[in-house]
Amino acid sequence: MPAIVNRLRSPRGLTIFLLLPILMAAFCYYTLSHLSTHPPLRNRNIALLIAHPDDEAMFFSPTIQSLVSPSLQNTVQIICFSIGNAEGLGTIRETELLKSASLLGVPNVNYSVITHDHPHIQDSMIKSWPEDLLASLISDSLRDFREDSGGEKGVDTFITFDKGGVSAHPNHVSLLRGAKYYLRHYPKQNEVLLYTLNTVPVYRKYISILDAFVTTLLDSVRNGAKDEEEGVEGYNGAPKSAMFLSNWREYRTAQKAMTEGHKSQMVWFRWGWITLSRYMVFNDLVLDTDLS
């Protein structure tokens, strides 16, 4: 402790100590200013496609909590394609998903969350899932959602993993192929947009909220000039990207969705994830218009 005090008393140490809060404030201001230039997803009927119970909390909690805000007038529903039965806990995990979704703000979870348990689509770290079968289950789920809502306008937006699947998990990666297969081959009530969650390198996964600054800075460098020329809207007037940054309350809610919702999954390494992962506090989505 005396050594630290002596360093702070030195001109260099004092300068660094005084600059840190200024730099942090500048980082926050830049990040929030950049986020404000991204139009929100509004008035959409959204289906979040996940592979396992707990994906919604571990990877998509900032997205869910933002999109369920009443001011945006979205509907948010979740399709989970397995019960996560790799360790024989499928029945427990299916119930945990409903509790987690409710904590994250998804309304009427008994009608807004569908979980599948198909024999050919099971939780596996080594097996990919057939895209045509996933598309069939998507079609069945969307029909059930329409019936539960009294035949109102169907889903017009998918959100799922990108081709990196955050962790290269084959089940995660399969969902993108299944969603694209559905969009290519199935008749739809309306045009469906597809947004994917950006996979970042491993050294950025565990810097928590700091990656919001890194992401917005990279986004500004890569797309700033192009956006000025072409605008921020993509296909059919939809935003080309969407970014969601949680506040402290939302971050703590995301953690509770794991610690209180998915109790069966809280092994030691997941404590590190819910504390350090950027996906617990920040999501960036990209509009995917390539259906090949």
Side-chain angles (χ1 to χ4, degrees):
M1 183 64 72
I4 296 175
V5 172
N6 289 334
R7 288 176 186 171
L8 289 178
R9 286 175 177 172
S10 69
R12 182 180 178 184
L14 184 59
T15 300
I16 293 174
F17 179 75
L18 293 175
L19 281 177
L20 277 176
I22 297 174
L23 288 174
M24 289 301 296
F27 290 167
C28 292
Y29 176 79
Y30 176 84
T31 301
L32 294 174
S33 297
H34 188 84
L35 291 176
S36 68
T37 66
H38 285 256
L41 294 177
R42 187 186 300 274
N43 299 315
R44 311 295 303 184
N45 291 335
I46 299 162
L48 173 65
L49 313 181
I50 60 174
H52 320 100
D54 76 16
D55 287 350
E56 82 296 335
M58 290 180 63
F59 306 111
F60 292 98
S61 53
T63 296
I64 295 172
Q65 292 186 84
S66 294
L67 293 178
V68 297
S69 172
S71 64
L72 296 180
Q73 297 185 329
N74 296 309
T75 61
V76 177
Q77 298 154 125
I78 298 175
I79 306 174
C80 184
F81 290 87
S82 80
I83 59 174
N85 200 38
E87 298 177 349
L89 299 175
T91 302
I92 294 173
R93 297 190 66 187
E94 190 173 5
T95 301
E96 289 178 338
L97 171 59
L98 296 180
K99 183 172 183 179
S100 169
S102 181
L103 285 169
L104 293 173
V106 177
N108 304 316
V109 292
N110 289 325
Y111 301 99
S112 300
V113 179
I114 290 178
T115 308
H116 294 284
D117 186 23
H118 193 281
H120 297 304
I121 300 182
Q122 293 293 311
D123 183 4
S124 171
M125 289 293 295
I126 60 174
K127 292 184 179 180
S128 297
W129 292 339
E131 60 186 27
D132 57 338
L133 183 51
L134 287 170
S136 176
L137 293 177
I138 290 173
S139 179
D140 293 344
S141 301
L142 299 189
R143 183 183 62 249
D144 290 343
F145 284 146
R146 286 196 300 272
E147 291 174 355
D148 289 339
S149 65
E152 296 179 3
K153 180 184 176 185
V155 166
D156 56 29
T157 306
F158 288 158
I159 296 175
T160 193
F161 297 97
D162 69 0
K163 63 182 180 181
V166 175
S167 59
H169 195 303
N171 298 168
H172 295 178
V173 175
S174 295
L175 295 187
L176 178 61
R177 294 196 293 267
K180 291 188 175 185
Y181 189 97
Y182 172 84
L183 295 176
R184 289 197 307 268
H185 295 285
Y186 279 73
K188 300 171 286 295
Q189 281 193 325
N190 39 262
E191 200 66 42
V192 179
L193 304 177
L194 173 62
Y195 284 91
T196 58
L197 179 65
N198 187 33
T199 296
V200 300
V202 66
Y203 57 84
R204 287 175 51 195
K205 283 184 186 178
Y206 299 100
I207 59 174
S208 190
I209 195 171
L210 291 178
D211 196 59
F213 170 72
V214 175
T215 301
T216 53
L217 180 61
L218 291 174
D219 183 68
S220 180
V221 171
R222 293 170 182 168
N223 303 318
K226 188 175 181 181
D227 285 346
E228 288 182 6
E229 295 176 2
E230 301 177 1
V232 295
E233 291 186 344
Y235 181 78
N236 201 25
K240 290 189 292 186
S241 62
M243 296 186 183
F244 306 104
L245 179 64
S246 296
N247 57 33
W248 175 252
R249 179 186 59 80
E250 292 166 336
Y251 172 55
R252 291 291 295 130
T253 297
Q255 291 181 320
K256 289 179 181 178
M258 286 299 298
T259 59
E260 298 179 12
H262 293 287
K263 290 183 179 180
S264 71
Q265 299 307 294
M266 287 309 298
V267 292
W268 67 269
F269 57 85
R270 288 207 170 89
W271 287 98
W273 179 271
I274 69 170
T275 303
L276 299 175
S277 173
R278 58 96 76 174
Y279 292 99
M280 292 294 294
V281 68
F282 179 69
N283 286 166
D284 56 320
L285 309 179
V286 176
L287 179 63
D288 191 334
T289 58
D290 179 11
L291 300 185
S292 59

